[in-house]
Every structure is written in C-alpha cells, then in structure tokens.
Amino acid sequence: MSILVTGGAGFIGSNFVLDWLGCSDEAVINLDALTYAGNRENLVSLKGDSRHLFVKGDIGDFDLVARLLNEHSPRAVVNFAAESHVDRSIHGPEDFIQTNIVGTFRLLEAVRAYWSGLEGEGKGGFRFLHVSTDEVYGSLGLGDPAFSETHRYEPNSPYSASKAASDHLVRAYHHTYGLPVLTTNCSNNYGPYHFPEKLIPLVIHNALAGKPLPIYGDGQQIRDWLYVRDHCSAIRRVLESGRLGETYNVGGWNEKPNLDVVHTLCTILDEFSPRADGKPYREQITYVKDRPGHDRRYAIDATKIERELGWKPAETFETGIRKTVRWYLDNQAWVQNVTSGAYREWLGKQYGETK
Ligand code: NAD
Ligand code: DAU
C-alpha cells in the first residue's frame, strides 16, 4: 500500500512525510514542483529509504499525475501543494491562481479518472484529503466566536481566495461525482523546516543576524498557533476515520497577538543564545508598514475533530515554541542554505532590504 503526497518538500508536507514514515511502513510517493518553498534537504534523512519516492513535478500536470496514480495505485492522495505566503500573493497573485486553483482542479481531474477505474475495496477505501486554511473564513473581531466548520467563507487576500476556490472545487467533486474527499482547515503552523519568510522563522533568523524584527502595523493581530507535528497527527486521524465529504478545523487553542509571539521568541533567544553585547533581542523590534487588507484575528474552534475523531494537540504554545527555537539554533546550516539567492531578492521586495 502507498499514499501520494503533493507538496511534500515544503514546510508542512515534509514534516508530514517524515512523521508518516516514522510511524508506518506504508510507502509515500512525494510529488513536488520544488518552487522556492520546496527543499529536498528537508527529506535528507530519507535518502536511500525505499519507502519514499520523490518525483519533481507539478500537480497541474494531468498526464504526470495520472501516470503516478496508475503506476503506484495509492490508496489516498494528501494535497499540501500550494503557494502559501500571503505577502507574496499580494505582490503577485498569478502563481496562486495557477497552482491553488488550476493545479488543484487538474489534480482532482486526474484523481477522479483514477478513482473511477477502481473497483471493490480499492474504490471504497480510497481518500482524497485536501489541506486548507482557516484564512478562507476571513477575519474575526475580538469578541467573535472562533471559526467553526459552518462559518461562512469570506477570504480577504489573493492567497485565501485561491484556497477558498480550491476548497469549493474539492467539495463539488464530492457532491457531483461522489469523489471520497476530506478537507482540513487549520491555523498557523510553526516548527522545524519553516521557511523564513513567515513570522516565526523570520524573527528567529533576523534576531540571530542582528537585523530588525519587523512588526506589521500595531502588532495586535491575533493568530492561533499549531505545532506542525500536531497538524500531522490530525491529518492522519482525519485520513483514517474522517467522514466523507466533511471538513475538519484543526487548531492549537493558542490565540496570541503577533507582538506577544515576538516577545516570547526574544525571551527564549535571550536564554538559549544571548546577544554578544548582553542586550535583549527585543531591542531589535521595528514597526513597519502594515500588510494591505491584513486580517485582524483568526481563531479555530477545534471541537468537531476532538468530538468525532478524538484528536487534540499534544503541544502547548509554550512547549512547542521552545522546541522550535532549539531546532533553528541546532540547524543553522539548513537556514543558511534556504536563505541564499532568491530569498534575499524577496527581502528586498518586501522589506526594502539591500543585498
Ligand atoms: P510551503 O509553501 O512551505 O510548501 C508548499 C510546497 O508545495 C513546496 O514544497 C512547493 O515546492 C510545492 N508546490 C508549490 N506549487 C506546486 C505545484 N504546482 N505542484 C507541486 N508542488 C508544488 O507551504 P506549507 O506552509 O507547507 O503549506 C502546505 C499546505 O498547508 C498549503 O496548502 C497551505 O495552504 C496549507 N496551510 C498552511 C499553513 C501554515 O501555517 N503554513 C496553515 C494552514 C494551511
Ligand atoms: O492561518 C493559516 C495561514 O497562516 C496559512 O494559510 C498560510 O499559508 C501561512 O502563511 C499563515 O499565514 P499568515 O499570514 O498568518 O502567516 P505569516 O507568518 O506570514 O504572518 C503571521 C502574522 O505575522 C500576520 O499577522 C502577519 C504578521 N507578520 C508577518 C511577517 C512575515 C509581521 O508582523 N511581520 C512579518 O515580517
């Protein structure tokens, strides 16, 4: 038996593949286009492991996906592949439309053709799990209840609009063709292999490099933080026992204003790797121009997945964030590799940094 994972060289996808092969011998076919966000180094510990087959390619390539499905007969597809960074979607939405909407559509078409040809248990047991985001629900006010699965879709950025479109396509393939789909909408992940364009790894990286720690606007925007390994265990649970056609919200019960997150990171770094001049890392905090259309608050109500599937996160923010900072300190070579070349061009575009 095997599963096909897309986007398995990215942040969450690579954690998922490592986690999966850490607790099962079921093979993984890993299809990833290796955009700037995909990094084969994340999977280096699987070198020579016959349970892992890496294929460089696009989810929008119908023929390639069809060939992989027919050759390997996976019992499930888990779709992580996407353009995932909100700020990049504001600078250039095109890639987001192409991968997140057109790519998901072509992937669904290839999967539908494959699944239609299955019979008996193979057909009945097949699953397509689509990994999505809480951002499709839009922005909450301070006193609003957290997002439940029935919250209306109100995406505000090109990124979240493209993910919302992909969720609708997945839903429609279930409703119209009976494709056995599952969708998860989760909150902000953090942990190992997180590309340093996102808040937590960017702040750790900049702090250690003696650079400014950029806070958009007033820093009071709220996100719910989910340790990436907890997200992986949630996806395994949904794949195993989720009800067909259902969506499951996945969250960490860790709502934090951005400024608090950055203060926490600074405090942990003061402890683990104090500045040479003895001053606190907080001194590097700098307020910068806000993100256009910045969503104020996300919060996930994760009671459905707990009630139906018995899943709860294992980490609190306090435990997960210490592990994360430790991982970055212990893996500076990984950080050096991913922050060369194209990454520096991105910093110039977003923060006006010169090379
Ligand atoms: P990421 O940007 O780190 O990785 C995306 C991966 O997809 C990369 O390896 C990239 O090479 C690959 N990819 C991009 N376009 C592709 C294409 N056309 N064909 C094949 N591969 C392609 O993203 P991530 O943070 O790991 O997010 C994974 C998924 O989870 C995404 O669907 C994202 O929307 C969703 N999500 C992420 C978060 C988060 O906090 N990071 C939260 C909620 C949902
Ligand atoms: O909520 C789930 C989403 O979380 C995922 O769908 C996205 O793929 C993922 O990128 C993430 O989106 P965010 O926009 O919330 O993550 P990001 O790390 O970019 O930003 C987190 C918060 O920190 C957000 O309010 C913007 C703010 N921020 C971010 C950066 C990069 C800053 O204040 N300064 C920064 O330099």
Side-chain angles (χ1 to χ4, degrees), residues 55-205:
V55 180
K56 182 177 185 305
D58 195 320
I59 55 164
D61 183 342
F62 177 94
D63 292 342
L64 171 64
V65 178
R67 183 170 61 74
L68 290 175
L69 291 169
N70 290 322
E71 270 178 24
H72 299 282
S73 307
R75 69 170 176 98
V77 172
V78 184
N79 182 32
F80 293 98
E83 288 293 334
S84 70
H85 190 30
V86 175
D87 293 321
R88 284 186 193 255
S89 83
I90 295 167
H91 284 282
E94 181 92 32
D95 289 347
F96 291 72
I97 306 305
Q98 205 51 47
T99 286
N100 300 1
I101 305 179
V102 180
T104 304
F105 158 68
R106 296 225 177 99
L107 177 67
L108 281 166
E109 277 293 90
V111 170
R112 179 166 76 92
Y114 164 72
W115 171 75
S116 301
L118 296 176
E119 283 169 359
E121 267 181 37
K123 189 165 191 172
F126 183 80
R127 297 288 181 269
F128 179 90
L129 191 151
H130 179 61
V131 178
S132 192
T133 170
D134 59 2
E135 299 203 11
V136 297
Y137 300 125
S139 185
L140 293 169
L142 263 189
D144 292 342
F147 299 130
S148 72
E149 289 78 0
T150 54
H151 195 282
R152 71 180 173 278
Y153 269 43
E154 221 169 39
N156 289 321
S157 71
Y159 162 69
S160 53
S162 67
K163 290 296 290 186
S166 68
D167 292 8
H168 292 324
L169 283 169
V170 170
R171 178 191 155 87
Y173 271 64
H174 176 67
H175 194 78
T176 304
Y177 303 114
L179 192 71
V181 307
L182 299 153
T183 299
T184 54
N185 293 83
C186 76
S187 55
N188 286 58
N189 284 221
Y190 67 102
Y193 305 114
H194 204 182
F195 193 75
E197 63 184 355
K198 309 279 170 69
L199 180 70
I200 287 180
L202 180 96
V203 163
I204 298 172
H205 177 59

Side-chain angles (χ1 to χ4, degrees), residues 14 104 139-140 157 200 248 266 325 332 336:
S14 61
T104 304
S139 185
L140 293 169
S157 71
I200 287 180
Y248 293 90
C266 289
V325 175
Q332 282 296 300
Q336 295 311 324

Side-chain angles (χ1 to χ4, degrees), residues 36 39 41-42 194-196 333-343:
Y36 78 92
N39 190 352
E41 240 188 281
N42 300 3
H194 204 182
F195 193 75
W334 180 89
V335 178
Q336 295 311 324
N337 279 340
V338 301
T339 53
S340 57
Y343 177 74

